[in-house]
Amino acid sequence: MHLPPITRASFLCTTMGGLSCFQSLFNQSPNNNNNINQHPLTTSYHEPPSGIDYSDNPSVFGKILNGDQPCRVYKESTELLAFQDRSPKANFHALVIPKQYIKSVYSLTSNDVKLVQDMRQMGLDLLEKELPQALKDEDYILCYHIPPFNSVDHLHMHVLSPASEMQWLMRNGKYSCGARWCTSSLDVIARLKSGKAAVPYSQLF
Ligand SMILES: [Zn+2]
C-alpha cells in the first residue's frame, strides 16, 4: 500500500496512540496515591492461635506466618493477619488471611461463618484507617478467588480500594465479584450462614 507521507505519519500516530491506549488496559501498576502509608517490610513470627502450628502449611503464607518470608503487615489479631499484596492492583491492596491453614473457599464450612465475618471486619477496619472516604463511599472490593483461579493455596481475602481508580481490566476482570473466578466476601458469608457451600460451583480439579 502506498500512502503519501502526511497520511502515513498520521496513520502511525493514530495507531501508536491506539496501541498505548490498549496497553494501558493491561498495565498492572495502579495509580500511585501518596496518601497511603507504606508499611515497613518485616520478617517476624506471628504467634498462632492455640493448637495451631505452621508446620502443616505448605504455602508461601505459611512462610510469612512462620517468619521465614517478609511482608508489609497492616494488622494482626489472634486468628488473622493482614498484609500488603506483593503486587498491588489498587492504591490500597491488602490480603487478610487466617493463621489457621485453610486451603481455599472450597474448604470452608458453616463452622467458619465467624472466621469469614472477622476477615471482612478486619478488611473494613483497614479501610477505615487507610482510606476512610473510600470506605464511606463503598469504593472498595472485598473478594476471594475461586480455585483454580487463585494464586496461593491458602485462603486469602483481597481488600482493594479505591475500586474506582483501579485499572479497568483489574476491576472488571480479575477482581470482578460474581465472575466464575471471583466471589465477594458478603456472598461467602451469606451462603455459609444459610448452610450452603461458600461458592455455587463444584471444584474443577
Ligand atoms: Zn487471589
Side-chain angles (χ1 to χ4, degrees):
M1 177 171 62
H2 181 79
L3 295 169
I6 297 274
T7 317
R8 220 174 323 172
S10 61
F11 171 77
L12 275 175
C13 278
T14 314
T15 312
M16 296 309 279
L19 272 180
S20 66
C21 199
F22 188 66
Q23 250 173 349
S24 71
L25 287 178
F26 294 92
N27 188 349
Q28 304 270 308
S29 62
N31 310 323
N32 280 324
N33 183 334
N34 297 326
N35 297 328
I36 309 285
N37 300 323
Q38 181 72 291
H39 290 232
L41 195 62
T42 53
T43 308
S44 58
Y45 180 71
H46 300 278
E47 196 66 47
S50 68
I52 304 287
D53 75 75
Y54 299 134
S55 60
D56 64 344
N57 188 334
S59 77
V60 64
F61 296 162
K63 291 195 174 115
I64 285 177
L65 289 165
N66 201 38
D68 297 325
Q69 284 245 354
C71 72
R72 297 184 191 278
V73 175
Y74 286 126
K75 203 174 167 77
E76 179 167 5
S77 69
T78 313
E79 309 280 338
L80 307 176
L81 182 69
F83 51 92
Q84 189 184 55
D85 189 289
R86 74 181 159 180
S87 163
K89 299 297 187 286
N91 290 330
F92 181 78
H93 187 175
L95 302 177
V96 179
I97 66 167
K99 292 178 176 175
Q100 178 193 352
Y101 180 56
I102 295 175
K103 196 171 173 187
S104 77
V105 282
Y106 284 119
S107 323
L108 293 169
T109 71
S110 53
N111 295 330
D112 298 311
V113 169
K114 183 177 182 306
L115 180 82
V116 289
Q117 280 176 330
D118 289 350
M119 288 173 77
R120 178 177 179 80
Q121 190 54 53
M122 186 175 274
L124 295 174
D125 291 347
L126 295 177
L127 291 175
E128 185 162 42
K129 180 158 179 279
E130 306 282 344
L131 285 166
Q133 192 56 48
L135 176 67
K136 254 184 228 152
D137 297 342
E138 298 186 15
D139 191 4
Y140 56 80
I141 295 172
L142 300 183
C143 70
Y144 298 87
H145 282 120
I146 303 169
F149 307 102
N150 58 335
S151 53
V152 174
D153 275 337
H154 180 134
L155 185 73
H156 55 283
M157 185 187 75
H158 289 270
V159 183
L160 298 130
S161 185
S164 58
E165 291 176 27
M166 288 167 66
Q167 296 286 340
W168 187 91
L169 207 61
M170 289 296 138
R171 186 180 182 185
N172 299 287
K174 187 172 181 184
Y175 300 97
S176 170
C177 293
R180 174 64 181 81
W181 52 86
C182 187
T183 184
S184 76
S185 147
L186 276 179
D187 261 17
V188 166
I189 293 169
R191 289 184 62 87
L192 291 177
K193 262 184 162 174
S194 62
K196 295 179 187 151
V199 290
Y201 317 107
S202 50
Q203 209 156 352
L204 289 179
F205 48 83

